[in-house]
Amino acid sequence: MAYKYCTATNWGKNFFTHEERRQFHLAGHPGDVWVVGDNLYGDQWIGKVSGAIKSKSEAQAIVTAEIEAAQAAYDALSADEQALQTRPAIYNLP
Amino acid sequence: MATITITVTVSNPGSGNKYYLDGVLQATYVATPGNTYKFDQADGSNSGHPLRLSITSDGTHNSGSAYTTGVTTNGTPGSAGAYTQIEVTALTVQALYYYCTAHSGMGGSFNTGSSATVQYQDREGFNIQNFSADQTSVGQLYYNTSSGQFKTIGTGVGTWASGTNTPGNRSLYAGFGTATASLMVSGNTASAITDLNTSYNGTAWSELTEINLGRTSMSGFGTTAAGVVTGGYDGAVPAPSAYKTNVEEWDGSSWTEVTNQPEMQTESGSAGSQTAGLIFGGGNNPGLTAKTKSYDGTNWTEVNALNAAKNRSMGYCIGTQTAAMIAGGDTGSITNQVEQWNGSSWTETTEINTARFLSAGSGSQTSSVIAGGRQSSNRYTNTELWDGTSWTEANDLATSRSYNVGVGSGNGSSANSSTQLYAAGVTGPSSNANTTATEEWNIPDFEIKTVTTS
């Protein structure tokens, strides 16, 4: 499946609708990064939410930076506090 | 699916007796598929005027007959409890008429569906069967000779859509109620435990009277008019002294401290109402517990325990005091176990496909949904539907999350339109950050898809 990548801030209701979820793949990631199915409906949605188009590597860099910041926050916790959470792990976008 | 009551009265406007629907003379009624419409004939003026439906105007007075698909009747018109009702589905004849079986000229039109559905559904289509399963019809196929289009009408597919963002980020709160009337009580903000008590009406969030003892990882059950919050802890890092047995009741406007739990039991599953509640499993620091306790509005009573002690299943709150359910959790390792409560004991049943804890869900023992949750550092978008027998993978959340709560009448049934709220929590898939984003689940009653031939 081909994807497009963008950043957009989720404003809440109607940011993505039930109908849109049936029309194209959509997945949110840290840093307001959205992976969007590459079809007509996905393109229309990016326009609707004023998404800023990113290349896959640009999107990955945003996600990785967010996770690294979360890792740093985790590492700064006490051992007791760390025991209640898990250390975030970097992963690759599809 | 809702039942909509239409009050029927009979009066003579000067041209003989006529039906009035909700006070409107011979009203032309437009119904929506998915609802049941109840013609209430309890009013005394209905005596001697049984109302029926027909595909022919004025029914039997115009050489027609009564339409009976999905129609039930009860009682004697003019007496308490008398009604005729029709369950309107996607396949109900679109142009119906209501009439009096005893007198001509009293009734009017009862239309079901939009003009678009009228166009296709007043013709008989071909039944569509599920090739990979049994021979049950799952929809119908129509061909429009004017547009050259095929249309299929079938059961809708459940999806998650974005809901209204919460006023601030929250996780590990108590949540209960319905998709259009729920409470999100206390829990964690980004940096602290909060006393906030935030309600949602399906459209907007608002702050109500704060709880007396702010806490996190507690259990809650009930409604926005009569709820209960119990247990939890009030320290960011739970020392033994931080664990609480406090119980507070919500009456729609304020919180009242009531009898404490007899012992610590936190992060429990929960179900039921303010006067018939149930908590099950959870933690009792430092270990896990399988204990089940029922609440009668005053006292807690220990009843038969879960088959396996498990913790952190508090977001999947299914059922009632006599028919509850728990799915997933932490038994020392993350589990996909599912147990059902019949009012006296727990029985293990079909496991969820993806083992997880701190997931959310809603519904009943015969129809529910579970979504999100986590295992290790993975936070899931996975959604599974329960039909009373087995779990089926469904469309994923848009954003993975855990540490949250599902509320509502959510369902795994394929022919319902209930919605539910899946609020806030910790988003992911690899972050410990709380979020304000919510998602709402919906299965439409039916949908029409168009295929244009070339």
Side-chain angles (χ1 to χ4, degrees):
Chain A
M1 182 181 291
Y3 300 112
K4 286 186 176 178
Y5 303 84
C6 74
T7 55
T9 302
N10 182 351
W11 65 68
K13 202 93 169 177
N14 295 322
F15 179 71
F16 53 87
T17 66
H18 292 290
E19 184 174 10
E20 288 165 341
R21 292 304 309 280
R22 287 192 286 271
Q23 292 171 332
F24 60 93
H25 173 87
L26 182 67
H29 295 271
D32 288 335
V33 169
W34 296 90
V35 177
V36 186
D38 186 8
N39 65 19
L40 171 67
Y41 301 110
D43 287 344
Q44 289 177 344
W45 181 81
I46 291 172
K48 182 187 96 169
V49 302
S50 300
I53 293 288
K54 304 290 179 184
S55 67
K56 182 177 180 180
S57 60
E58 290 172 333
Q60 181 69 60
I62 294 169
V63 171
T64 300
E66 287 285 324
I67 296 174
E68 287 175 343
Q71 288 176 331
Y74 176 87
D75 293 340
L77 297 173
S78 69
D80 285 343
E81 290 171 322
Q82 286 183 352
L84 296 174
Q85 301 182 15
T86 53
R87 190 172 193 271
I90 292 173
Y91 63 93
N92 294 323
L93 293 175
Chain B
M1 178 178 289
T3 296
I4 297 164
T5 299
I6 304 167
T7 300
V8 182
T9 53
V10 175
S11 185
N12 184 348
S15 53
N17 282 333
K18 309 290 182 187
Y19 283 127
Y20 289 70
L21 304 188
D22 290 334
V24 178
L25 171 64
Q26 293 180 298
T28 295
Y29 204 94
V30 179
T32 302
N35 294 326
T36 295
Y37 292 84
K38 182 177 183 179
F39 294 89
D40 186 332
Q41 289 200 279
D43 186 87
S45 64
N46 285 286
S47 180
H49 302 290
L51 182 149
R52 295 292 185 271
L53 295 162
S54 175
I55 61 173
T56 304
S57 176
D58 215 15
T60 53
H61 307 291
N62 190 22
S63 303
S65 59
Y67 181 81
T68 57
T69 303
V71 175
T72 55
T73 61
N74 186 68
T76 303
S79 302
Y83 64 83
T84 295
Q85 73 177 25
I86 179 170
E87 181 182 357
V88 177
T89 73
L91 303 179
T92 301
V93 169
Q94 300 300 298
L96 288 172
Y97 302 89
Y98 58 95
Y99 70 99
C100 173
T101 61
H103 308 93
S104 64
M106 287 184 60
S109 296
F110 182 80
N111 299 322
T112 65
S114 65
S115 58
T117 56
V118 169
Q119 181 179 357
Y120 294 97
Q121 292 172 20
D122 60 1
R123 302 165 188 169
E124 185 174 357
F126 292 97
N127 285 336
I128 303 170
Q129 296 175 340
N130 187 343
F131 180 78
S132 62
D134 55 30
Q135 299 301 302
T136 303
S137 173
V138 295
Q140 287 205 313
L141 173 68
Y142 300 83
Y143 180 67
N144 185 319
T145 55
S146 299
S147 65
Q149 292 177 323
F150 286 103
K151 288 206 171 192
T152 60
I153 300 176
T155 300
V157 177
T159 52
W160 294 96
S162 58
T164 306
N165 290 351
T166 53
N169 57 51
R170 297 268 278 279
S171 64
L172 292 171
Y173 47 85
F176 49 84
T178 69
T180 55
S182 68
L183 288 184
M184 178 172 65
V185 185
S186 202
N188 287 42
T189 63
S191 58
I193 292 173
T194 179
D195 301 336
L196 289 173
N197 173 29
T198 313
S199 73
Y200 186 61
N201 64 7
T203 304
W205 295 88
S206 58
E207 301 295 349
L208 305 178
T209 307
E210 296 178 358
I211 195 169
N212 294 303
L213 176 64
R215 53 188 114 171
T216 183
S217 302
M218 66 290 206
S219 302
F221 51 86
T223 68
T224 52
V228 175
V229 167
T230 176
Y233 53 87
D234 66 353
V237 179
S241 61
Y243 284 87
K244 300 300 175 187
T245 57
N246 301 56
V247 181
E248 295 190 43
E249 288 188 350
W250 170 255
D251 66 1
S253 60
S254 63
W255 293 95
T256 303
E257 295 266 7
V258 294
T259 309
N260 283 6
Q261 285 188 55
E263 60 182 344
M264 180 210 309
Q265 187 170 351
T266 193
E267 298 184 333
S268 307
S270 59
S273 68
Q274 195 181 68
T275 55
L278 197 72
I279 62 171
F280 33 94
N284 57 5
N285 189 37
L288 307 177
T289 182
K291 287 184 177 179
T292 301
K293 295 192 184 84
S294 67
Y295 183 65
D296 65 5
T298 304
N299 297 307
W300 295 89
T301 303
E302 186 171 341
V303 292
N304 284 325
L306 291 161
N307 291 290
K310 59 194 69 170
N311 194 11
R312 316 196 95 181
S313 302
M314 62 276 200
Y316 180 78
C317 307
I318 302 297
T320 67
Q321 191 187 49
T322 55
M325 196 161 167
I326 185 170
D330 181 356
T331 60
S333 59
I334 309 308
T335 184
N336 52 11
Q337 292 173 358
V338 179
E339 297 191 39
Q340 287 186 326
W341 170 256
N342 65 4
S344 61
S345 63
W346 291 94
T347 303
E348 293 194 19
T349 185
T350 311
E351 297 175 340
I352 48 177
N353 297 310
T354 301
R356 54 182 110 180
F357 71 118
L358 290 168
S359 56
S362 69
S364 69
Q365 269 190 355
T366 56
S367 177
S368 75
V369 58
I370 186 170
R374 56 172 284 202
Q375 181 172 178
S376 186
S377 63
N378 294 321
R379 293 203 171 86
Y380 293 121
T381 56
N382 300 50
T383 301
E384 297 182 42
L385 303 180
W386 171 252
D387 64 3
T389 304
S390 61
W391 294 93
T392 304
E393 296 286 340
N395 284 320
D396 291 344
L397 288 156
T399 305
S400 58
R401 59 186 68 206
S402 60
Y403 295 85
N404 55 352
V405 173
V407 300
S409 57
N411 61 85
S413 167
S414 60
N416 281 310
S417 60
S418 303
T419 59
Q420 72 179 40
L421 170 72
Y422 190 78
V426 175
T427 186
S430 189
S431 163
N432 290 314
N434 287 355
T435 181
T436 60
T438 71
E439 297 194 34
E440 295 174 352
W441 175 253
N442 173 259
I443 300 177
D445 276 335
F446 68 95
E447 59 186 346
I448 300 174
K449 292 183 178 178
T450 301
V451 180
T452 303
T453 57
S454 58

